[in-house]
Amino acid sequence: MKKVFRKKSLLALLILAALLALLAGGGGREEAAVPQAEEEEAAPWAVMPENPAPMTGETISVYNWGDYIDSDVIDIFEAETGIRVIYETFETNEDMYAKIALGGSSYDVIVPSDYMVERMIQEKLLQPINWNNVPNVKNIDPRFTHESYDPDFAYAVPYTWGTMGILYNTQTVLERPTSWDILLDEEYRMDMFMLNSPRDTLAIALVMCGHDLNSVDPADLADAKALLIEQKPLVLAYVVDEVKDKMIAGEASLALVWSGDATYCMSESDELDYVVPEEGSNIFYDALCIPANARNVSGAEKFIDFLCRADIAAMNYEYVGYAIPNQAAIELMGEQAYNASPVNNPPQETLDKCQVFKYLGDETRLYDTIWTEIISEF
Ligand code: N2P
């Protein structure tokens, strides 16, 4: 996967080079001509240290979403600290939770979303973070801290945020969709992907039925279930990370996706666009947390602090593509360039219609049962 914003970075570099050339040569001399654009990308925000630290034998174990970090970031961390990162990925909050709650595995850093942070705090599966050891947390915009899922800002460092919406192919979906209803349009039979993620997909079905996306009313959920079963003949597949390559390859016209994945797809294909339908959607926050049973807490703190560093967060943003709460990184990249993305910087009226998932306590089981029934129904 290449850097999401490579094209933009290259453009910025060219403009800078042109300005420098003008300043240096007054425009007259041959050798001050604008340098040719290199094939490769602009200089990254952060670079590998020239003399990597020797490996210390210390390790940290990180459990993150798929496609959710630039591997260069991990390499630089290892080279700067001598701490080796053992890295594993998951596709949904529920998969990650099941693994941690079963207790068999121990991770030092995990990346749950809002409602899952809330659940894991309640279930004592996370430990409070010692901010003295994470000084770069000062780079996080305070508008993203003290959220409802971690009101005391004690357990979770906001990493990314985004919306859920529809990624669509402008060659086959000729009018920009405004409503989620397009996900029930017979014209797109076997021509759409849905998220293989119970909370996300059920939330959209709830919204399509006119219900609250945090509803636990069995009648509302029965409506959502009926809608998703009715929709099944239109669905080519329920997928998570694979949706990106499939949409770029033009395998379907529509997909329910997270905004950062849309950003990536749109950087790879001019035929794709993203919309948050007018009925509203989910806004999510994914956060760096230390599990209660972490083995290397000090290593975890170092890694989280490293990810909060402005140059590292900027570099990581350009790879991952999801909106970030790191104000220092945004300033480094240029606020204007960062805000230019309508996908990552939606208008306020869109945000006003988006809601955060709440942890639903025991009712979560109802979601899980319904989801299994939907997926296994033919
Ligand atoms: C990245 C997954 C994004 C997580 N592949 C959405 N909460």
Side-chain angles (χ1 to χ4, degrees):
M1 187 154 115
K2 72 180 193 190
K3 305 252 179 192
V4 172
F5 299 108
R6 177 183 291 186
K7 291 178 207 156
K8 277 187 205 143
S9 317
L10 189 60
L11 186 68
L13 185 75
L14 279 174
I15 294 171
L16 187 71
L19 281 175
L20 284 176
L22 271 177
L23 281 176
R29 295 200 319 262
E30 266 241 77
E31 55 278 19
V34 177
Q36 287 299 300
E38 291 286 324
E39 253 300 290
E40 259 321 289
E41 66 207 71
W45 297 110
V47 289
M48 278 294 268
E50 271 176 28
N51 301 308
M55 293 314 267
T56 55
E58 183 177 343
T59 59
I60 54 163
S61 157
V62 175
Y63 197 29
N64 194 2
W65 298 79
D67 300 332
Y68 227 28
I69 201 163
D70 183 343
S71 61
D72 289 350
V73 162
I74 296 179
D75 292 347
I76 297 175
F77 176 78
E78 291 184 335
E80 283 191 14
T81 61
I83 301 173
R84 194 161 72 86
V85 177
I86 302 164
Y87 192 78
E88 272 181 56
T89 60
F90 57 84
E91 285 203 321
T92 65
N93 276 300
E94 287 66 28
D95 290 350
M96 181 273 305
Y97 170 81
K99 202 145 176 214
I100 306 254
L102 282 178
S105 37
S106 149
Y107 297 101
D108 299 308
V109 177
I110 57 170
V111 193
S113 305
D114 36 61
Y115 71 101
M116 196 50 84
V117 171
E118 201 179 337
R119 173 177 199 168
M120 295 181 89
I121 293 173
Q122 274 186 36
E123 297 181 3
K124 304 209 178 330
L125 292 170
L126 301 180
Q127 57 179 283
I129 298 177
N130 181 347
W131 298 122
N132 294 330
N133 299 331
V134 189
N136 285 317
V137 78
K138 67 175 188 315
N139 292 338
I140 304 296
D141 184 336
R143 283 181 304 159
F144 290 90
T145 60
H146 301 87
E147 292 281 340
S148 56
Y149 58 88
D150 182 20
D152 300 329
F153 188 38
Y155 293 90
V157 180
Y159 177 60
T160 43
W161 66 274
T163 55
M164 227 188 322
I166 297 174
L167 182 69
Y168 64 100
N169 191 311
T170 54
Q171 303 300 299
T172 50
V173 183
L174 299 180
E175 246 178 74
R176 183 173 173 82
T178 52
S179 164
W180 290 112
D181 284 347
I182 195 165
L183 298 179
L184 291 175
D185 189 337
E186 279 289 333
E187 202 179 314
Y188 302 103
R189 204 178 175 85
M190 290 289 275
D191 197 16
M192 61 181 74
F193 294 110
M194 292 294 284
L195 274 171
N196 188 8
S197 170
R199 191 69 197 264
D200 293 296
T201 297
L202 275 165
I204 297 312
L206 283 165
V207 171
M208 289 172 77
C209 295
H211 304 313
D212 189 280
L213 54 65
N214 281 306
S215 177
V216 290
D217 182 338
D220 291 355
L221 282 156
D223 289 346
K225 175 180 165 185
L227 182 142
L228 289 175
I229 289 176
E230 178 198 336
Q231 186 211 27
K232 276 192 93 169
L234 313 190
V235 177
L236 191 54
Y238 296 88
V239 282
V240 184
D241 289 331
E242 314 96 281
V243 75
K244 299 192 284 298
D245 288 344
K246 289 179 181 298
M247 287 301 286
I248 292 164
E251 286 181 33
S253 294
L254 300 158
L256 174 65
V257 298
W258 296 305
S259 49
D261 287 357
T263 298
Y264 169 69
C265 292
M266 288 162 63
S267 77
E268 294 288 298
S269 164
D270 292 337
E271 296 182 352
L272 298 173
D273 206 350
Y274 176 78
V275 65
V276 177
E278 62 196 10
E279 298 95 338
S281 183
N282 165 242
I283 178 169
F284 63 82
Y285 304 94
D286 294 340
L288 304 160
C289 298
I290 307 180
N293 68 349
R295 293 207 183 101
N296 184 355
V297 174
S298 103
E301 291 165 344
K302 285 192 187 108
F303 189 66
I304 292 175
D305 192 52
F306 180 77
L307 291 177
C308 290
R309 223 168 76 183
D311 59 336
I312 296 296
M315 178 180 186
N316 203 34
Y317 169 70
E318 293 195 347
Y319 180 89
V320 174
Y322 281 74
I324 53 173
N326 192 308
Q327 190 53 32
I330 293 171
E331 277 161 24
L332 191 64
M333 294 185 284
E335 216 148 327
Q336 223 179 341
Y338 175 82
N339 285 332
S341 156
V343 176
N344 285 351
N345 182 34
Q348 192 57 43
E349 55 167 337
T350 302
L351 291 176
D352 288 346
K353 287 191 222 149
C354 290
Q355 281 187 71
V356 183
F357 290 150
K358 295 192 189 95
Y359 170 48
L360 304 173
D362 287 347
E363 313 297 340
T364 300
R365 254 179 282 149
L366 188 55
Y367 274 67
D368 293 341
T369 316
I370 288 181
W371 182 247
T372 313
E373 287 166 2
I374 294 164
I375 290 296
S376 56
E377 173 99 13
F378 286 100

